[in-house]
Structure formats: structure tokens, C-alpha cells
Amino acid sequence: MEKAAKLPWSTKAVYGLGTVAFGIKDNGFNALLMIYYNQVIGLPAAWVGAAIMIAMVADAVLDPVVGQWSDSLRTRWGRRHPFMYAAVLPVGLFYLLLWMPPAVESHALLFSYLLVMTSLTRIAIGVYEVPSTALLAEFTQDYDERTELVAYRFFFGVVGGILMGISVFAFIFANDPAAPGGLLDKVGYIKYAWIAAPLMALAIFISSIGTHSRVSSLVHSPPPPRRGALAVAKEMFSTLFHRVNAPILFSSMLGAMSGGLYAALGVYIQTYFWGLSANNIATLTAGNLVGVILSFVIVLPLSKSFGKKWTTLVLYMVTLIAMVAPILLSLVGLFPAVGNPLLMPLLFVFAMIVAAAVIAAAILNVSMVADVIEQIELSTGRQSEGLIFSATSMVNKTISGMGVLASGFLLALVGFPDDAKPGAVDIATVNHLALYFVLTIIFFTLAALLSLTFYPVTRSDHQSAVDELARRRATNE
């Protein structure tokens, strides 16, 4: 593969801009969807978790299909952009409808509506996200520039989600969750939908049209030969479970389980365990924003100094400690109690550390997936960017969905009531929820770290593969 010139910052920025849609969707799904359908609409938590999980699985199953299809597609608009353009309108429409369920009392009907709308939203996002992510490996083969390009994607995605979260809790919802216009009032969620949905569609459109001019500069391999479905499936399986890809695939699977639990129950912990108001939650979200900015400052220097794998391992361990330490210390009486003036500053610091470490680690994780692509092409002769990135997406969605489902079961296990008012839930129930939350996060995160230790690709391995592919291409020409 020929080495291209460094990408201009404008290309990196417009490429990353599209992930604003993904960030807004993630913020809505993780912070609002469970509490909206459970506490506001009245659908039992286990039903909400089940609908979200099934939708994730349905979406995830289609991701490798989209990835493989975009790998094989040959058009004058390239392999990826036709999919990206096709996602613009469906993303905005389905996300808008998700927050406008019918006014019915039937749990079955509400469950069906939630399932359909979450599935359609996720599928539409995937039609954009999988091909767009695959462009990462095509835009540059440079070991460090890939990390920089991923950082742009994460910056826009995470900052977009965080800014939407701040806006939601600071400007849309009233400070008292139970008051009119508060977190438990449906009106705020409708306002949120009318703001979020158009922004998501606009971000995807600008990113797609802004990167269109790069299509002509990409390496264009001949279309693959037609093969039967069984042969294609076998090829996909061998690619996904290739020895260089399997460790990061399994690590992503375990990490996504932990992430799904953390995301789904985070607002419950903030609202019921810490007793935070909407303004407090907005303040903590601002702490996440500070952490995100810090992550972009530290990620490239750390990667250059210590390598992607070991930097990622350390960062995820820091993330784990910062996530669970405040809760564990509080459970044993060694952390400021609710109402203590030190509580919010300390939670702000921990939120900042979690955001900085987890985002920096996630950037490197995606960059490591990109470095797998040349290794696999070297041994198989196939360009499989779409398939490989879709597999990571598939795993994250499927297993994260299981994490969300597990959160619903944890709520049911501790007997957490529906339509619960902050401060009115039995303290033992809240503490049991917090303890189970911490223990499951610890288990799955440590398992993910163990798997990642087997990832084999170093800087020198990557450069050797790039050079060998360039030599083979030159020989064939």
C-alpha cells in the first residue's frame, strides 16, 4: 500500500464531525432512554432493557453485512460514501420518533414501539458509522496519524454527546426531577428530540459531503470474485478470528459488557445513590468534558512513548479504579456523604479522570484495530477494512446491549421500584444496587484487560507490513 501524504487538518475535522451523530445517540440511549421509558412512560425496567438489548443485537448482526458489502462495492462515489449518504434522513427521522411513543397503557405495545424504533435508529446509524470508520484505514497507513485521526472522531463524538448532555440537564429539565419540566416530565424529552434529531442528520451529511473529494485518492483494488454464501461466511469468520484480531475482539466484547452496565445505571447511581439534581448532573457532565479535552492532550505522547497496547492497559486500569472507588469508599463510610460540600468537587475530579482515561484508551483501541488490517491483508490478500471495523462495532453493540439488559435485571433483583422518587427509595435497596453495579464492572473490566494482553502488533510489525504491501503492489503494477 502506497504511503499517502499527511492529511490536512480540515479533512480530519470534517471526517470526525460525523461522529457528533453517534455521540448524541449514545448520550440519549445511555443517559436518558432507560429512565424515560421506565420512570416516565411506565414500562418495567426489565422490559426496557430487553428491548434495548434485542435492538442492539439486530443492529449488530447487520453491521458485518454492511461492512462486507462496502468492502466489495465499486462505484464512482467509492466504496463507503453511498452508504453514508443513505443514512442521513433515516437517522434523523427514527431518532425523533423514538422519543414520541403512543399514549397507550399496554406494556406489550410500548415494548414493541421501543424495540422497533431503537432497532431502526441503530441500523440507520450503523449504515453510516461502519463505512465511515472503515475510511480511517484507507485515509492513512501511518502508525501515529491513525491515532490522531481516531482522536478527531472521538473528539467530535464525545464532545457532541457531552454538550448535548449538559444542555439537557442544564437547560431542558428543571432542577427538581419530580417537578413539572423535570427529569420525570415527558415534555422535556420531546424538546430534546426536536433538537437532537436534526443535529444528528446534519452532522452525517456535512461529514459525508466534506470527505467526498478524498474518494479519488484512495487505493482502488479490483472487485472481489463472486462467491457463494458459505464461502463468504467462511472468509468472514477466518478474518474476524485471525490471530492478530481475536485478542482485541474478545477484549472489546468484555469491555462492552462493562460499558453497557456503567452507561445504563450511571444516571440511577447519580440520582438515587448520590442524590444529585439535574444541575449537579450537568456539572459532572462538564467534568467529563474537561476529561475529554485532557485525553486528546495525553493520548498521542503516551502512545509514542510506551506503545498503543501497554498505554491502553494502564489507562483502562485507571478508568476502573476511578469508576468504582467513590462508590466503594462511600459504602464503607470513607467518602463525603450526600449534602457534604466536598461531595460534588470530588465527584467532579473522578468524573474527569474517568473521561480522560477511558476516551484515551478507546482512541488507542480503535487505532489498534486499524493496525490489524495490514497484518490480515498481508496473510490473506484481502482488503477487509469494513468487515473488521464492523466486527468491533457488532461486538460493542451486542455485548453492550447485554450490559443494558443486565442492568434491568439488577434493578429487578434489588427490587428497585418503578416511578421512584429521589430520596424515597429504601437506602438498603439503593446500596445493594450500587454494590452489584461495582462488582460486575470490576469483573468484566479485568477480564477485558487480560484478553488485551495477547494483542501482538507493535509499531515495527505495522511498519513492516505496510512496507511489504507497498512492495507487492509495486511489483504487481
Side-chain angles (χ1 to χ4, degrees):
M1 299 181 69
E2 299 176 357
K3 295 180 182 178
K6 292 285 186 179
L7 293 169
W9 73 267
S10 57
T11 297
K12 296 172 184 176
V14 77
Y15 174 65
L17 181 64
T19 59
V20 167
F22 194 81
I24 292 175
K25 184 272 299 178
D26 259 10
N27 176 264
F29 274 47
N30 294 340
L32 300 175
L33 197 59
M34 171 67 81
I35 199 167
Y36 176 56
Y37 270 86
N38 175 218
Q39 298 295 328
V40 179
I41 302 301
L43 192 61
W47 288 53
V48 179
I52 295 173
M53 188 275 292
I54 294 170
M56 283 184 177
V57 172
D59 174 26
V61 169
L62 289 178
D63 276 352
V65 176
V66 173
Q68 182 80 353
W69 189 2
S70 71
D71 285 339
S72 305
L73 188 67
R74 300 295 184 272
T75 75
R76 62 188 180 88
W77 285 0
R79 296 189 290 170
R80 319 296 181 186
H81 277 74
F83 294 91
M84 294 159 64
Y85 287 123
V88 174
L89 292 179
V91 165
L93 177 62
F94 294 140
Y95 197 70
L96 179 65
L97 293 176
L98 172 63
W99 302 94
M100 300 179 181
V104 296
E105 295 184 1
S106 169
H107 287 171
L109 288 177
L110 287 172
F111 172 83
S112 300
Y113 186 87
L114 174 61
L115 175 60
V116 170
M117 288 303 151
T118 51
S119 298
L120 291 175
T121 299
R122 286 189 172 280
I123 290 169
I125 286 279
V127 169
Y128 166 76
E129 191 69 14
V130 170
S132 174
T133 308
L135 284 174
L136 161 67
E138 298 183 78
F139 278 169
T140 180
Q141 287 79 50
D142 183 86
Y143 186 81
D144 293 316
E145 191 176 31
R146 280 184 172 171
T147 301
E148 187 180 356
L149 196 58
V150 177
Y152 272 85
R153 288 183 62 84
F154 270 80
F155 176 81
F156 281 99
V158 175
V159 170
I162 287 177
L163 289 178
M164 180 57 67
I166 293 174
S167 300
V168 165
F169 289 108
F171 304 115
I172 296 179
F173 293 116
N175 194 42
D176 182 355
L183 191 62
L184 301 181
D185 186 353
K186 184 176 181 179
V187 174
Y189 294 90
I190 304 300
K191 293 179 181 178
Y192 160 78
W194 278 107
I195 296 171
L199 285 176
M200 293 166 67
L202 182 62
I204 291 175
F205 178 73
I206 293 175
S207 182
S208 300
I209 201 167
T211 55
H212 194 117
S213 62
R214 302 286 310 178
V215 172
S216 60
S217 66
L218 303 179
V219 174
H220 297 284
S221 59
R226 291 184 177 275
R227 299 177 304 279
L230 185 60
V232 171
K234 183 178 180 181
E235 178 183 298
M236 291 171 66
F237 184 86
S238 65
T239 298
L240 296 180
F241 292 95
H242 192 282
R243 65 176 186 82
V244 297
N245 193 52
I248 202 164
L249 190 64
F250 286 116
S251 176
S252 298
M253 184 184 303
L254 294 162
M257 185 71 179
S258 176
L261 280 163
Y262 184 77
L265 291 179
V267 72
Y268 281 82
I269 297 297
Q270 292 171 334
T271 301
Y272 297 100
F273 184 78
W274 296 118
L276 304 183
S277 66
N279 283 345
N280 293 146
I281 296 174
T283 300
L284 291 188
T285 307
N288 292 339
L289 183 59
V290 175
V292 169
I293 295 171
L294 178 61
S295 73
F296 298 116
V297 174
I298 66 174
V299 64
L300 199 55
L302 288 176
S303 174
K304 288 182 177 179
S305 299
F306 304 106
K308 295 179 183 179
K309 181 176 82 171
W310 293 107
T311 301
T312 304
L313 289 170
V314 172
L315 287 170
Y316 274 137
M317 182 58 70
V318 171
T319 302
L320 174 62
I321 293 171
M323 282 194 301
V324 304
I327 297 174
L328 288 177
L329 291 173
S330 179
L331 288 173
V332 296
L334 297 178
F335 202 79
V338 175
N340 189 309
L342 291 177
L343 177 63
M344 276 300 297
L346 284 175
L347 290 180
F348 185 95
V349 171
F350 277 102
M352 182 178 65
I353 294 172
V354 168
V358 76
I359 295 302
I363 289 170
L364 293 177
N365 190 81
V366 175
S367 187
M368 286 191 288
V369 173
D371 294 339
V372 161
I373 288 168
E374 285 82 13
Q375 305 293 324
I376 293 178
E377 183 177 356
L378 196 61
S379 63
T380 66
R382 297 189 296 269
Q383 285 185 281
S384 305
E385 301 94 339
L387 176 61
I388 291 169
F389 279 110
S390 71
T392 303
S393 173
M394 175 189 71
V395 164
N396 285 335
K397 290 174 181 177
T398 305
I399 307 302
S400 177
M402 293 182 182
V404 175
L405 176 64
S407 71
F409 286 134
L410 283 181
L411 289 168
L413 177 66
V414 301
F416 203 91
D418 295 335
D419 194 23
K421 300 296 186 292
V425 183
D426 182 68
I427 188 63
T429 300
V430 174
N431 287 345
H432 282 143
L433 177 64
L435 180 61
Y436 293 155
F437 168 76
V438 164
L439 292 177
T440 50
I441 292 291
I442 290 174
F443 174 80
F444 286 109
T445 303
L446 291 180
L449 294 181
L450 178 62
S451 178
L452 191 60
T453 61
F454 293 96
Y455 176 80
V457 182
T458 64
R459 179 187 296 270
S460 60
D461 293 332
H462 170 73
Q463 192 58 55
S464 296
V466 170
D467 292 342
E468 175 60 20
L469 288 171
R471 185 191 66 78
R472 290 185 184 181
R473 187 175 298 277
T475 301
N476 292 336
E477 291 177 352

